[in-house]
């Protein structure tokens, strides 16, 4: 039986952290076995709000590739590619831009929220929001459909973008004839990962991220300042693990000693410092296989480049085939064989 096509992407704006891992990447690694998976390093999209910092985007393309490979994205099973190396996506974006109104883009909840969050870039009035930024859902629709993506694994925040993609596909097909596939979003089971500081979200900008590449010292500093039950004052006070971020992380990384952690915390037989030390050890154990692989790829950068080149070639062939159909439907297939 033919495998269904998956397309999803990630913006190369920084190294991966545990929020990415548990919120998305772990799921991508599983999906590779059941789907014809395509993972896009979305550098063009990253430039929509980092156009003035090309160095950052460029450096992170390789970092993200190394992170993804270290987490178990397997180039023998999946296609890993760089968005900017597929000009067909940009071409498709232009054609789609006629099918989307400005009003609809401004109403997209994801775009709305992000414009709000980017006051530092766009200013309070939003007057300096760029055309490219407001239009990134159109470009993302091209990302998905250029590869005839059927399933799009994403987090909840991305659902409005997938919905907008579906609308574009329906409009395209109704005007130019049945050509494109309408994708569906696949929500990952592990939603948002909280920060050790108790924040609802882990994020680079929130300053609470634990990176997959963090050293033991970095992990130590982060874990030692984690938020625990504020009612616990003395080492042997009983506490409530439900309100403790250290317990949350013991659970997250699946500490096999979790039942003891829980009962000792409740009984007051476990001090927070000891509990944090155990978390540091277990966290390093959890990260070790990923970090070992990272070390390997850092010493074999040629291999990383080869994976990206061949993944991109493979992806580009697929996008070219889609564009043939698109141009034919739009009656702009001049002199094509
Ligand atoms: N917008 C997505 C994010 O910020 C990344 C992305 C780019 C993407 N292209 C995509 C996701 C295509 C799904 C499909 O997380």
């Amino acid at each position: 039986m033919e495998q269904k096509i998956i397309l999803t992407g990630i913006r190369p704006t920084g190294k991966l952290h545990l929020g990415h891992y548990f919120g998305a990447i772990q799921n991508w690694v599983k999906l590779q076995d059941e789907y014809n998976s395509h993972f896009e390093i979305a550098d063009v999209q990253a430039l929509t709000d980092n156009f003035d910092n090309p160095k950052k985007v460029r450096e992170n393309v390789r970092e993200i590739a190394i992170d993804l490979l270290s987490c178990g994205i397997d180039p023998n099973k999946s296609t890993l590619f760089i968005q900017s190396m597929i000009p067909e996506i940009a071409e498709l974006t232009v054609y789609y831009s006629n099918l989307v109104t400005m009003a609809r883009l401004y109403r997209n909840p994801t775009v709305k929220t992000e414009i709000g969050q980017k006051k530092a870039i766009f200013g309070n009035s939003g007057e300096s929001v760029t055309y490219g930024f407001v239009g990134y859902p159109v470009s993302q629709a091209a990302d998905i459909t250029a590869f005839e993506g059927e399933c799009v694994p994403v987090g909840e925040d991305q659902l409005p973008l997938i919905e907008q993609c579906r609308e574009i596909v329906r409009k395209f097909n109704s005007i130019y004839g049945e050509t494109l596939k309408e994708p569906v979003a696949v929500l990952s089971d592990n939603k948002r990962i909280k920060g050790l500081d108790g924040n609802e979200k882990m994020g680079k900008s929130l300053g609470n991220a634990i990176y997959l590449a963090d050293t033991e010292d970095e992990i130590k500093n982060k874990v030692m300042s984690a938020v625990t039950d504020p009612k616990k004052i003395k080492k042997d006070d009983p506490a409530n693990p439900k309100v403790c971020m250290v317990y949350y992380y013991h659970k997250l990384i699946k500490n096999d000693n979790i039942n003891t952690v829980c009962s000792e915390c409740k009984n007051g037989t476990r001090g927070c410092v000891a509990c944090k030390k155990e978390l540091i050890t277990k966290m390093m154990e959890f990260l070790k296989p990923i970090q070992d692989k990272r070390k390997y790829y850092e010493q074999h950068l040629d291999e990383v480049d080869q994976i990206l080149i061949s993944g991109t070639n493979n992806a580009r062939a697929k996008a070219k085939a889609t564009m043939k159909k698109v141009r034919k439907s739009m009656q702009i297939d001049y002199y094509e064989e």
Side-chain angles (χ1 to χ4, degrees), residues 137-156:
V138 183
S139 155
Q140 185 157 320
D143 289 346
I144 298 166
T145 50
F147 308 96
E148 301 194 310
E150 298 169 274
C151 304
V152 189
V154 281
E156 232 163 1

Side-chain angles (χ1 to χ4, degrees), residues 41-257:
I41 303 181
D43 60 339
V44 177
Q45 189 175 112
L47 284 166
T48 58
D49 54 349
N50 290 281
F51 55 86
D52 51 354
N53 201 349
K55 186 163 174 267
K56 168 173 152 191
V57 175
R58 181 172 182 118
E59 282 170 0
N60 281 304
V61 165
R62 219 201 224 152
E63 285 301 335
I64 289 273
I66 293 175
D67 270 332
L68 291 175
L69 294 169
S70 305
C71 288
I73 295 299
D74 180 346
N76 295 314
K77 294 181 190 163
S78 305
T79 302
L80 179 63
F81 68 98
I82 303 177
Q83 184 186 14
S84 62
M85 289 175 72
I86 319 268
E88 287 74 16
I89 297 174
E91 181 188 352
L92 194 53
T93 305
V94 173
Y95 303 150
Y96 285 174
S97 65
N98 295 325
L99 309 178
V100 184
T101 64
M102 292 307 290
R104 176 66 181 86
L105 282 172
Y106 275 120
R107 250 189 286 124
N108 184 312
T110 310
V111 174
K112 248 185 172 168
T113 317
E114 288 176 347
I115 290 176
Q117 288 164 350
K118 289 185 200 313
K119 283 194 187 121
I121 305 176
F122 297 138
N124 279 329
S125 63
E127 285 274 315
S128 54
V129 173
T130 62
Y131 163 61
F133 186 81
V134 183
Y136 96 77
V138 183
S139 155
Q140 185 157 320
D143 289 346
I144 298 166
T145 50
F147 308 96
E148 301 194 310
E150 298 169 274
C151 304
V152 189
V154 281
E156 232 163 1
D157 63 312
Q158 293 286 308
L159 290 180
L161 280 102
I162 311 306
E163 198 42 52
Q164 186 141 31
C165 174
R166 290 161 58 85
E167 282 176 34
I168 292 172
V169 167
R170 289 198 291 268
K171 191 143 189 201
F172 187 102
N173 287 344
S174 79
I175 297 172
Y176 303 117
E178 205 58 35
T179 314
L180 301 163
K181 276 205 184 122
E182 204 175 310
V184 292
V186 191
L187 269 186
S188 48
D189 36 347
N190 230 328
K191 7 170 214 345
R192 192 155 270 191
I193 306 305
K194 295 182 196 171
L196 274 169
D197 56 356
N199 199 307
E200 280 307 305
K201 194 182 165 201
M202 175 182 285
K204 185 173 66 171
S205 49
L206 297 163
N208 62 2
I210 294 185
Y211 294 94
L212 299 176
D214 271 352
T215 62
E216 182 155 8
D217 275 348
E218 285 165 327
I219 301 275
K220 216 179 261 171
N221 285 335
K222 290 174 188 178
V223 172
M224 289 321 272
S225 61
V227 169
T228 54
D229 181 352
K231 294 212 178 87
K232 176 166 167 131
I233 313 285
K234 291 195 299 297
K235 182 167 144 276
D236 43 10
D237 285 344
N240 177 9
K242 281 204 188 110
V243 300
C244 174
M245 295 319 295
V246 178
Y247 181 69
Y248 173 89
Y249 271 81
H250 275 296
K251 260 197 322 202
L252 191 66
I253 63 164
K254 298 203 165 55
N255 182 345
D256 46 14
N257 193 28

